[in-house]
Every structure is written in C-alpha cells, then in structure tokens.
Amino acid sequence: MATATKSKSKSGTSSHAANGHANGSAGNGFSKAAVTIFDQVGLPKDPDNLYTQTVSVMLHAAELMGLPDYLRLILAQPKNEIMVHFPVKMDNGKHELFKGYRVQHNNALGPYKGGLRFHHDVHLDDVKSLAFLMTMKCSLVGVPYGGGKGGIKVDPRQHSKTEMEHIVRRFTAAIAHNIGPDYDIPAPDVGSNSQHMAWIADTFSFLSEIGGDNPAAVITGKPIEYGGSLGREKATGQGVVDTLVEMLPELKLKPEKCTFSVLGYGNVGSWSGKIFQDKGAKMIAVADHTGFIRNDRGIDAYDLDTHVKKTGGVKGYAKATAISKEEFYKTKVDVFIPAALEQMIQEPEANMMNCRVVAEGANAPTTPAGERILMSKGIEVLPAILCNAGGVTVSYFEWVQNKTFQAWDLESVDAELNKHMVKAAQKTRKARAEFKCDLRTAAYIAALQRLKEAYEIRGLFP
Ligand code: GLU
C-alpha cells in the first residue's frame, strides 16, 4: 500500500492554535472557548482526534461570528449515533459479523443527508466527523438538508458480488427504521457505488410501508436506470472544477494554463482530473493506494481512468514514470487535488508540497497542523465543505426528480449545480472579507449563519 491509507495520530502538534486560530489557548492548542464546549459535551481534548479537529474549526468560526452558545453546544455533538452488528453468510457457507454505522448529526435545515462509506478502517469518530461536515456542507451550498453519514466496516474488494449484495441488503434492514425519504437519505461515499445504492433502495422499498409514493427516494446516487440523476456520478468532480474556475482568477491563475496533481483516483479524483483537463489544465502527477506516477508532458486523465478501472490502480501505467511518495508531493504544480481519505495532508506532506492551491475534493484531507504549514507557504486551501459539495448538490436534484417524477437533462443538472457552487463560493468570499479570515473559517461562518437564522426562527422545543 503506497499512500491511500490515512495515518491517524501521526502529527503530535496539530492544533487549533497551530492553524492560526488561537484565542486564548487552554492547552493542547485549543482555545479556551473551545475547551469549555469540549468539556460540556464530553469531547476528548486530543489534537489528533479527527472529530475534535473538525469541531474545533467550527468553534473558531463560531467565536469569530458570535454564534450563540446553545448552538455551539448543539452542533458539537450529533443528534443520533446508530451502531449495528449484523451477520451475513459468506460464499463458503460460514457466517461473518459486520459492524455498521449511521450518524445523524443535525436536521434543522431538512432531512439528514450524507453518504455511506464501505471501508475496512471506518470508525465511529470518522463517521461522526463526516456527518458533521455534511451539516456544514449542505448549509453552505444551500440545499434543504441536514447532515448524516454512515458506513460498514468492510473492504468491498475482498468480497464477491453476491457477498457484497448480502452485506448491503442486511445492513439496510438493520437501519431501515432509522432512514427514510423524508427523514434520512444516504448516498455513495468512499468504497460504495451506484449498484450498492440500487440494492439499498430495493431492500428499503421491499421492507418499508412508510416510504411514500417513491420509496427509492430514500437514497441518492442510484443508477440512471433506477431513479438516478444524469450528472450525479461526476458531480463531486464537477463541483471541484466549478469551484476552481470560480476561485482561480483571484489567485491570478487561469484554468487552461494550470498544471495539477491528484491524490486518489477513484470517483472524485478521476472526474476532477477529466473535467479539469477538459478546461485545458494539464495533469502532471497522480497517486493512489497502488503507487505514484508522473509525466511532466501531461497524463491523459481519461486514459488513466481506463487503466485504473482495468487494473485497480495507477501502478503500471505505461505512459508515466513511477516515482516515490516524496517526489509526488514535491512535484511543482499550480493545483493539488486531494481526493482520497481524511488526514492525508499532515505536516510532512505539507512541508513537501509545492503548489499554489489545494482544492479539497476529499472530506477533511488536511489536518490543522498540515494547514498551518500550507498557509505559512502561502498556499490557498479551497475547503472541502465548499469544494466537494457538488456531490450532495446533485443528490438533492436526484431526490427532487424522484419526488416529482421528473427526469432532468444533463445541461439542466450541470447549470443548476454551477449556480449552487458559484453562490456558495460567493458567500464564502463575502464572509472572508467581513471577518478577515481564511477561506475555511469563512466557509464555516457562511454555513453557520444559515443554521443560526433557521434556529432563531424555529426556536427550540419545548
Ligand atoms: N458522500 C458525498 C459527500 O461526502 C455525497 C453525499 C450525498 O450525496 O448525500 O459529500
């Protein structure tokens, strides 16, 4: 395994303060205000903990904009954390017990929404962090959803199609009473795909009498033949490129003149690569769990995609040279697109990186300590809650189409997506100007503003 393994707790000094966010540090680099909330809601004050890291960035934004205390408390923990264990018979006749999760972070703006990760290294804290990020992302990009996330601790590559079908259907049965087209709507994430979504929709429709007119609307990212939307498969990558096109001019960069590298060549990485290349940009280096490759004359993003689909990774791609991890990160490019897992840009990687912009296609790829280094090097980070919001935005369009029995054409999907991405980028820029902060903090402020308005109008029951 070369790189696409997330390395947790490697950076001993990652911190809020390290990110330039110190506001009266109370140890471990977290601000006093953040530590007060951590104590109140029972969060570990561990700077390496992904969930603590994620919430601390929100709390910094909350501090700057003066978010009421009760909202900081509400947002610092998810509403529900569901954990299930379920047995499945394997092809060899033996049973295995699987662990599944669904975390429902917040539903103030609408039903819980977010993907399902199928990965052998998925834990509750990861799922909590990702659910939290969905709340922020949906708020920022202006879709009427809250945030959720789920997953199964499983390596899909280790199972036959039949085994995966049984695992996915049995997981659906285990959480069926906790999801629904108007309550919690899952979608694909790392390791899951449209076939899995189809099995979930079918299982839910079969089990559920509460699905309404179209129970398949319980999930998005479905195949086109079964209620999916045109443009959903490429949507996250499309959103990454829409964000770049919107944000690059202020950095005096032109998409058609850009060079870029991509970390992770799955759905998000490959579509970002292909669409950015279509704008005239040149892909120089790519890495995934199988290896690191480079070609200074350019790697054709479509051709590499064909190779990866055939062989399972970038390794062995004949039209590029195999390089080391260090060479990959040190490759000089205009744009670096992390599109794999969380916490992959820590201090060592950030120290090596030689780019102008990081466009976060993955969720939470940069640790606070990594980000501090990027900032000190003058590298602009386009934060994930903005940059990768294209996926959930087109999921929203799919859900609307399901609920109204419509089928939009691709031009309409792309045009609507672009409107949402541009508006979210504008809101982020506005918050940056008003609060004189970095783009990540600004994106959180813009997201929190919408949540604050909703809570103020709704009030709190009872
Ligand atoms: N898993 C994707 C994300 O992290 C998409 C979620 C969705 O479409 O609901 O944004």
Side-chain angles (χ1 to χ4, degrees), residues 113-115 134 137 149 185 187-189 220 232 363 388 391-392 395:
K113 185 82 189 83
M134 289 308 301
K137 198 186 297 189
K149 201 79 166 199
I185 306 137
D189 194 73
T220 57
R232 176 62 186 86
N363 288 307
N388 78 14
V392 73
S395 274

Side-chain angles (χ1 to χ4, degrees), residues 204-236:
F204 182 83
S205 306
F206 185 77
L207 291 175
S208 169
E209 287 164 18
I210 52 163
D213 292 341
N214 189 358
V218 69
I219 198 153
T220 57
K222 298 181 292 291
I224 307 292
E225 299 80 357
Y226 181 25
S229 175
L230 292 172
R232 176 62 186 86
E233 197 203 305
K234 66 167 179 141
T236 310

Side-chain angles (χ1 to χ4, degrees), residues 205-360:
S205 306
F206 185 77
L207 291 175
S208 169
E209 287 164 18
I210 52 163
D213 292 341
N214 189 358
V218 69
I219 198 153
T220 57
K222 298 181 292 291
I224 307 292
E225 299 80 357
Y226 181 25
S229 175
L230 292 172
R232 176 62 186 86
E233 197 203 305
K234 66 167 179 141
T236 310
Q238 183 72 57
V240 168
V241 177
D242 284 2
T243 308
L244 279 166
V245 169
E246 179 63 21
M247 301 299 283
L248 286 178
E250 68 176 55
L251 298 161
K252 310 265 176 295
L253 288 171
K254 293 192 169 109
E256 65 276 16
K257 294 254 166 64
C258 278
T259 55
F260 66 103
S261 49
V262 183
L263 173 62
Y265 214 68
N267 175 285
V268 181
S270 62
W271 279 111
S272 300
K274 289 186 281 190
I275 299 168
F276 203 25
Q277 176 177 299
D278 289 345
K279 298 266 175 223
K282 187 159 80 170
M283 190 162 78
I284 301 284
V286 184
D288 73 0
H289 63 286
T290 65
F292 307 85
I293 57 168
R294 185 168 77 200
N295 184 340
D296 292 340
R297 291 195 308 279
I299 296 169
D300 182 68
Y302 288 87
D303 195 46
L304 180 63
D305 189 34
T306 307
H307 170 83
V308 169
K309 292 215 166 89
K310 220 185 285 165
T311 66
V314 302
K315 194 179 167 191
Y317 182 63
K319 293 168 213 159
T321 313
I323 53 171
S324 68
K325 174 177 174 175
E326 200 176 325
E327 285 171 310
F328 170 75
Y329 281 101
K330 285 187 171 165
T331 299
K332 186 174 185 317
V333 282
D334 296 308
V335 178
F336 185 99
I337 306 176
L341 296 172
E342 309 81 58
Q343 295 184 310
M344 294 190 75
I345 304 178
Q346 304 200 10
E347 290 147 299
E349 291 80 16
N351 271 321
M352 290 188 275
M353 282 163 67
N354 189 3
C355 61
R356 296 274 312 279
V357 186
V358 172
E360 292 188 334

